[in-house]
Amino acid sequence: MSDHDILSDAEREALSAVMLEPDLPPQRVLIVDDDKDARELLSEILGLDGIRCMTAASGESALKMLEERPSIGLVITDLRMGNVDGLDLIRQVRESVRAAMPIIIVSGDADVKDAIAAMHLSVVDFLLKPIDTAKLLGLVRHELGMNA
C-alpha cells in the first residue's frame, strides 16, 4: 500500500469482490387484488414493459409471499379485499422486516379517509381506477430503479 492510497489492500480486495459479483436477479412486482381480472390486467400491462410480476388474491397470501420471496421489490395493492384488506396489508408490511418496501395503492372505491390513512403509512402513491397506465409504469420503473 502506498502512502497516497485511501484504501487498504484488504478493503481494495473486498471492493473488487463486490464489483465482480453477478447482478442481482431482477426485482419483481407483487400485485395484490381479490379481483382476478384486475390482477391479470395489471400484470399484463407491466409485463409488456418488461417488468416481472407475481400476483396474490388476498392480503394473507401476499404476506406469505413477501416472507418467502426476497425478489419482490414493490407491492401494488387494492384496498377493498377480504379479511386482510389493503390498509391492513400495508400496516403489517410496515411492521415487518420488509418495512421499507415501496407500496402503490390502486383502488376503484376509496374515500378521502382511506387516502389519508394510506399516506400516513408512507405509500408511494394512491391511484384511482381506471388506472393511468403511463403514470403507473413511471412509478413502478422509478421505484425499481429502472431507467424511465
Side-chain angles (χ1 to χ4, degrees):
M1 180 166 107
S2 78
D3 289 340
H4 3 297
D5 278 350
I6 295 172
L7 302 175
S8 70
D9 291 339
E11 289 169 329
R12 189 177 312 287
E13 247 177 69
L15 183 60
S16 292
V18 169
M19 300 297 275
L20 295 174
E21 279 182 11
D23 289 341
L24 294 172
Q27 291 184 315
R28 295 175 183 262
V29 173
L30 175 58
I31 299 168
V32 188
D33 198 321
D34 57 355
D35 179 335
K36 183 176 187 275
D37 292 338
R39 277 194 319 269
E40 289 177 357
L41 179 62
L42 276 179
S43 181
E44 197 171 310
I45 288 168
L46 295 175
L48 288 171
D49 201 50
I51 298 165
R52 300 172 66 169
C53 298
M54 310 168 88
T55 62
S58 68
E60 295 93 338
S61 60
L63 288 167
K64 187 172 166 83
M65 290 173 79
L66 283 166
E67 279 180 31
E68 297 170 355
R69 311 222 176 156
S71 63
I72 297 171
L74 170 74
V75 173
I76 298 174
T77 185
D78 187 22
L79 271 188
R80 306 279 182 251
M81 296 184 288
N83 294 335
V84 178
D85 71 9
L87 288 175
D88 290 335
L89 169 63
I90 296 165
R91 281 186 196 100
Q92 289 185 49
V93 169
R94 292 293 178 246
E95 294 169 2
S96 75
V97 295
R98 307 289 298 265
M101 171 76 56
I103 300 173
I104 298 171
I105 294 176
V106 170
S107 184
D109 174 34
D111 57 28
V112 173
K113 187 178 104 213
D114 292 328
I116 291 170
M119 291 306 166
H120 282 293
L121 292 169
S122 301
V123 297
V124 173
D125 209 335
F126 192 112
L127 303 176
L128 291 174
K129 294 177 184 174
I131 299 299
D132 175 343
T133 55
K135 180 171 184 176
L136 178 64
L137 284 168
L139 287 169
V140 169
R141 293 181 70 78
H142 174 77
E143 290 302 319
L144 294 180
M146 301 168 77
N147 297 335

